[in-house]
Amino acid sequence: MKNIVILISGRGSNMQALLEANLPCKIAAVISNRADAQGLEIARMHDIPTAVVAHRDYPDRASFDAALAAAIDRHAPDVIALAGFMRILTDHFVERYRGKLVNIHPSLLPAYPGIDTHERALSDGIKIHGCTVHFVTPTLDHGPIIIQAAVPVMRSDTPQTLSERVLHEEHRIYAQAIRWLCRGQVWLNKEGRVSGNRLEQPGAALIFPGLE
Ligand code: GRF
C-alpha cells in the first residue's frame, strides 16, 4: 500500500476530506508549518501522526525546505499532498519530489493562480469558476492538471458563498485524484504530462446561466 504525507497550514478541511475518504493508501503523517493550524487537532483525532516544521524557525526558504524534506522523508511517502499549505516551495524541493507532489487550488487553472481567487473571479464577472488538482512544478499553480470541477457563479455570491461552493467540490476531487495516484491509475510521465489508464467517462457540460 502506498504512503501519503499531507502538508497543511490552517483549517485542514481538505486534509479532513482525505482522512475520511477511505483511500487505498496509508496516511503516514500530517505536517504543518504552523503549530496553531486547526487541522493538526483534526489529524490527532484521527490518530494520524503529526509534526510541525515552523518556517519562522529557519533563516531562509532553503533551510526551511531542507527541514521539511527531512520530516517528509521519515515516512518515505509515494504521494505528498499540499492541502492549504501556504508556503512557496523552492525549485529544488519541487524537483526532488517530481511526480509525487500534488496541490489543490481554488480556481480553474490556469485562470487565477495565486491568492484571492474568489474575489478576483467575482470582480471579473465570470459565470463558471471551480477548482483544480495538479502536480506541483516550479512555476506556482501551473503544473500538469489531474482533475478539475466547475461550479456556477451566482449573481448574489460573495467571496464567502462562492468559496463554500468551490470547497465542497475540492473535497470531492482531491480524494478522487489521490485515489487514482495511490492505485497507480494516474502519473506524471517523462514528458511532464499527466498520463492515466482509467477510462474517460462522458461528463455533462456545465452551462451557466442555463440555455432556454
Ligand atoms: C483551499 O481552498 C485550498 O484550495 C487552498 O487553500 C484552502 C485551504 O483550505 N489551497 P483547507 O485548509 O483545506 O480547509
Side-chain angles (χ1 to χ4, degrees):
M1 196 182 266
K2 292 190 174 174
N3 264 354
I4 140 165
V5 165
I6 305 175
L7 304 190
I8 63 166
S9 296
R11 180 177 58 183
S13 73
N14 276 290
M15 173 212 72
Q16 182 171 7
L18 296 180
L19 299 187
E20 293 173 1
N22 212 359
L23 296 170
C25 56
K26 179 181 168 210
I27 301 186
V30 168
I31 302 175
S32 172
N33 65 306
R34 298 178 58 110
D36 61 355
Q38 287 163 264
L40 286 173
E41 192 47 43
I42 300 170
R44 286 185 203 114
M45 283 179 339
H46 284 77
D47 290 325
I48 305 293
T50 60
V52 175
V53 181
H55 61 276
R56 295 228 167 87
D57 293 348
Y58 298 88
D60 50 36
R61 207 177 271 176
S63 57
F64 168 68
D65 281 9
L68 184 61
I72 291 171
D73 291 347
R74 226 163 271 148
H75 304 282
D78 304 285
V79 176
I80 301 145
L82 306 182
F85 185 70
M86 299 305 282
R87 302 302 298 172
I88 294 174
L89 298 160
T90 55
D91 291 3
H92 178 70
F93 183 97
V94 170
E95 296 294 356
R96 174 189 185 122
Y97 298 111
R98 188 181 186 284
K100 294 184 172 184
L101 193 57
V102 291
N103 182 43
I104 177 91
H105 182 78
S107 77
L108 288 172
L109 291 173
Y112 308 118
I115 60 169
D116 298 331
T117 57
H118 309 305
E119 285 82 351
R120 288 150 65 201
L122 286 172
S123 92
D124 285 346
I126 61 167
K127 300 294 177 213
I128 295 175
H129 186 43
C131 47
T132 304
V133 180
H134 64 97
F135 284 106
V136 177
T137 55
T139 311
L140 184 71
D141 296 333
H142 270 92
I145 292 170
I146 299 170
I147 185 171
Q148 296 184 299
V151 301
V153 181
M154 308 294 180
R155 236 177 307 185
S156 59
D157 267 331
T158 62
Q160 177 65 22
T161 59
L162 184 54
S163 78
E164 284 163 12
R165 192 172 311 119
V166 171
L167 191 65
H168 181 74
E169 302 308 318
E170 291 185 35
H171 296 165
R172 299 172 67 203
I173 66 169
Y174 213 2
Q176 178 66 78
I178 301 288
R179 195 170 289 123
W180 286 333
L181 287 164
C182 290
R183 289 194 200 131
Q185 290 177 305
V186 156
W187 61 92
L188 187 67
N189 68 23
K190 284 200 208 80
E191 290 75 43
R193 299 183 75 89
V194 176
S195 286
N197 62 11
R198 62 185 190 84
L199 291 174
E200 286 196 341
Q201 296 171 7
L206 173 58
I207 301 175
F208 189 77
L211 303 177
E212 281 185 357

